[in-house]
C-alpha cells in the first residue's frame, strides 16, 4: 500500500442501504472503486450509480489498496477476513500492507479481533463506524468514529471525507466502535426517558408543546427531545410527524443496544439503564417496531399504560 491508499482502488464490500450510497459518493468524487455484494438487487442498484462490480469479494480485493466493508455484523466481517469452511479469506488474497477499513457497526471485541488478525497477516486495520443513517450516506454527511493508529487515520481521512462531514479520531483499534456503542446507549436510554416523560405529561394534563417549551430549554434538553421529538408537533421534522417512518429504525437501535450490553458485560460495568433499554428495544422490534423509527417506542409506552 500505503501512501497510495488514499488514491488507489477501493474494494467496497456490502452495498446495502448504507454501502450503496457511500460507494456512489466515492464514484462521484472520481475515486476508483470496485464493488461486491452477493444480493442481486444491491448489485443492480450499485451499477445504476456507476459502481463497477466484481464477481466475488476476492476478485474485488485483488487489485485494491483499501478494502472497505459495510456489512450487517461482526461475524460477517470476521468470516470475510478469515474465510469460512477452509476457504481462504480476504486477508490471504490481499496484497501485503492493504488497508482493511471496516465501517460496519460491530462489537468492540470483534473490531479488536479483526484488527489483530489483519495486522498478523501483514495488513493495516481501521474501524470507522458511522452515524447519520441512509440520509447522511446519500448526502455524504455521515459522522465517522475512527479507531486507528495515528498514521492510518491520516491515510483513511481523505477517503472518509468523501462520504462524511465529521471524521473523529477516537483512539486506536476498536475505539471507533467503543464511541459508537457509548453514544447509542445514551440515545436509546434518553429516548425512553423522553417518551415516558411525554406520556406522564399527557396523564397529568400537560400539552406536548408546554412540556417541550420547558424541557427543551431546561435540564431535560437532549437530542431525543429537540431533534427527534417522539410526539408530533413541536419539531416538525421529527419522524413522529410522519407516523414514525425512520429515521433510525427500531431494529438498528435494538442491534446497537445489544452491542452495548455485550461491551458492558465484557468490561464488567455495573450499568442498569443500558441493559434495560436493550430489553425494551428488543421487545419493541419484535412487536412490530423493527421498521419504525425508534421514537415510536412512545406508542408502546402509551399503549401499555393504564387508561
Ligand atoms: P444492509 O443489510 O442494507 O446492507 C448490508 C449489505 O451487506 C447487504 O447488501 C448484504 O447483501 C451485504 N453482504 C452480506 N455479506 C456480504 C459479503 N460476504 N460480501 C459482500 N457483501 C455482503 O445494512 P445497512 O443498513 O447498509 O447497514 C450496514 C452496516 O451499517 C450495519 O452494520 C449497520 O448496523 C450499520 N449502520 C446502519 C445504519 C442505517 O441507518 N441503515 C446507520 C448506521 C450504521
Amino acid at each position: 500500500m500505503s501512501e497510495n491508499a488514499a488514491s488507489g482502488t477501493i474494494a467496497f464490500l456490502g452495498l446495502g442501504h448504507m454501502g450503496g450510497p457511500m460507494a456512489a459518493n466515492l464514484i462521484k468524487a472520481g475515486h476508483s472503486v470496485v464493488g461486491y455484494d452477493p444480493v442481486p438487487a444491491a448489485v443492480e442498484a450499485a451499477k445504476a450509480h456507476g459502481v463497477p462490480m466484481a464477481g466475488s469479494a476476492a476478485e474485488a480485493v485483488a487489485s485494491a489498496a483499501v478494502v472497505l466493508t459495510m456489512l450487517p455484523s461482526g461475524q460477517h466481517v470476521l468470516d470475510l477476513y478469515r474465510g469460512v469452511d477452509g476457504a481462504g479469506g480476504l486477508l490471504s488474497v490481499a496484497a501485503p500492507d492493504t488497508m482493511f477499513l471496516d465501517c460496519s457497526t460491530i462489537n468492540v471485541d470483534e473490531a479488536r479481533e479483526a484488527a489483530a488478525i489483519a495486522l498478523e497477516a501483514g495488513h493495516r486495520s481501521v474501524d470507522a463506524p458511522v452515524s447519520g443513517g441512509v440520509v447522511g450516506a446519500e448526502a455524504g454527511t455521515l459522522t465517522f468514529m475512527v479507531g486507528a493508529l495515528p498514521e492510518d487515520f491520516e491515510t483513511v481521512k481523505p477517503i472518509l471525507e468523501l462520504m462524511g462531514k465529521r471524521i473523529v479520531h477516537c483512539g486506536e483499534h476498536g475505539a471507533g466502535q467503543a464511541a459508537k456503542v457509548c453514544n447509542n446507549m445514551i440515545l436509546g436510554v434518553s429516548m425512553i426517558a423522553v417518551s415516558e416523560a411525554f406520556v406522564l405529561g399527557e396523564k397529568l394534563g400537560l400539552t406536548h408543546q408546554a412540556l417541550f417549551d420547558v424541557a427543551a430549554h431546561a435540564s431535560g434538553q437532549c437530542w431525543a427531545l429537540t431533534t427527534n421529538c417522539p410526539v408530533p408537533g413541536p419539531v416538525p421534522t421529527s419522524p413522529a410527524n410522519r407516523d414514525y417512518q425512520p429515521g433510525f429504525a427500531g431494529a438498528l437501535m435494538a442491534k446497537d443496544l445489544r452491542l452495548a450490553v455485550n461491551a458492558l458485560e465484557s468490561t464488567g460495568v455495573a450499568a442498569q439503564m443500558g441493559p434495560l433499554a436493550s430489553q425494551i428495544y428488543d421487545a419493541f422490534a419484535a412487536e412490530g417496531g423493527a421498521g419504525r423509527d425508534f421514537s415510536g417506542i412512545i406508542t408502546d409506552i402509551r399503549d401499555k399504560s393504564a387508561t
Side-chain angles (χ1 to χ4, degrees), residues 8-9 37 40 48 54 63 68 79 82 110 125 134 141 193 196 214 225 241 248 250:
T9 298
D37 194 295
S63 59
L68 195 164
D79 284 353
R82 277 200 193 107
E110 290 170 323
S125 176
V134 175
T141 56
E196 289 182 352
V214 171
L225 175 72
N241 297 282
F248 187 51

Side-chain angles (χ1 to χ4, degrees), residues 78 81-82 91 100 108-127 173-174:
L78 290 169
Y81 280 20
R82 277 200 193 107
L91 296 177
F100 279 78
V108 177
D109 290 345
E110 290 170 323
R112 292 193 175 133
E113 190 179 348
I117 61 175
L119 265 55
E120 198 183 313
H123 302 301
R124 295 175 184 223
S125 176
V126 171
D127 53 289
H173 301 125

Side-chain angles (χ1 to χ4, degrees), residues 10-16 19 34-37 54 56-58 60-61 67-71 80-81 90 100 102 104:
I10 297 173
F12 204 122
L13 311 177
L15 293 150
V34 54
Y36 172 72
D37 194 295
S56 70
V61 165
V67 177
L68 195 164
T69 37
M70 195 57 175
L71 300 172
L80 205 50
Y81 280 20
L90 299 181
F100 279 78
D102 180 41
S104 326

Side-chain angles (χ1 to χ4, degrees), residues 14 16-18 36-39 70-72 76 80 105 130 133 252 255:
H17 292 99
M18 296 294 289
Y36 172 72
D37 194 295
V39 171
M70 195 57 175
L71 300 172
H76 287 83
L80 205 50
T105 303
V130 306
L252 289 170
K255 171 192 167 177

Side-chain angles (χ1 to χ4, degrees), residues 192 254 257-259 261 273-283:
I192 294 168
L257 285 169
R258 284 195 294 274
L259 298 180
V261 169
M273 303 303 286
L276 187 55
S278 177
Q279 283 174 30
I280 290 170
Y281 271 106
D282 274 345

Side-chain angles (χ1 to χ4, degrees), residues 11-275:
F12 204 122
L13 311 177
L15 293 150
H17 292 99
M18 296 294 289
M22 289 164 70
N25 280 331
L26 291 173
I27 292 279
K28 240 187 266 166
H31 212 98
S32 166
V33 177
V34 54
Y36 172 72
D37 194 295
V39 171
V43 173
E44 289 317 311
K47 279 186 182 164
H49 282 108
V51 182
M53 298 297 289
S56 70
E59 189 188 315
V61 165
S63 59
V66 176
V67 177
L68 195 164
T69 37
M70 195 57 175
L71 300 172
S73 74
Q75 199 58 54
H76 287 83
V77 175
L78 290 169
D79 284 353
L80 205 50
Y81 280 20
R82 277 200 193 107
V84 279
D85 299 333
L90 299 181
L91 296 177
S92 62
V93 292
D97 213 23
T98 294
M99 173 65 77
F100 279 78
L101 169 58
D102 180 41
C103 296
S104 326
T105 303
I106 70 175
N107 278 306
V108 177
D109 290 345
E110 290 170 323
R112 292 193 175 133
E113 190 179 348
I117 61 175
L119 265 55
E120 198 183 313
H123 302 301
R124 295 175 184 223
S125 176
V126 171
D127 53 289
V130 306
S131 74
V134 175
V135 172
E138 285 169 351
T141 56
L142 294 170
T143 293
F144 285 90
M145 295 151 264
V146 187
L149 299 176
E151 61 273 28
D152 291 339
F153 176 71
E154 292 309 321
T155 302
V156 299
K157 195 169 169 229
I159 298 171
L160 301 179
E161 282 170 341
L162 302 176
M163 300 179 285
K165 71 170 188 327
R166 275 199 89 221
I167 321 297
V168 185
H169 189 195
C170 300
E172 299 200 348
H173 301 125
Q177 299 293 350
K180 165 103 185 169
V181 95
C182 290
N183 178 71
N184 281 19
M185 190 171 78
I186 297 172
L187 178 60
V189 169
S190 60
M191 181 54 81
I192 294 168
V194 168
S195 298
E196 289 182 352
F198 270 108
V199 176
L200 178 60
E202 289 166 8
K203 297 283 185 198
L204 296 174
L206 272 178
T207 64
H208 292 157
Q209 194 64 46
L211 177 54
F212 180 86
D213 287 345
V214 171
H217 302 283
S219 43
Q221 191 277 330
C222 61
W223 189 92
L225 175 72
T226 56
T227 301
N228 218 77
C229 190
V231 294
V235 180
T237 49
S238 81
N241 297 282
R242 45 175 204 270
D243 198 23
Y244 301 98
Q245 282 170 46
F248 187 51
L252 289 170
M253 178 49 85
K255 171 192 167 177
D256 289 359
L257 285 169
R258 284 195 294 274
L259 298 180
V261 169
N262 291 342
L264 289 167
E265 284 173 356
S266 74
T267 53
V269 174
Q272 298 186 52
M273 303 303 286

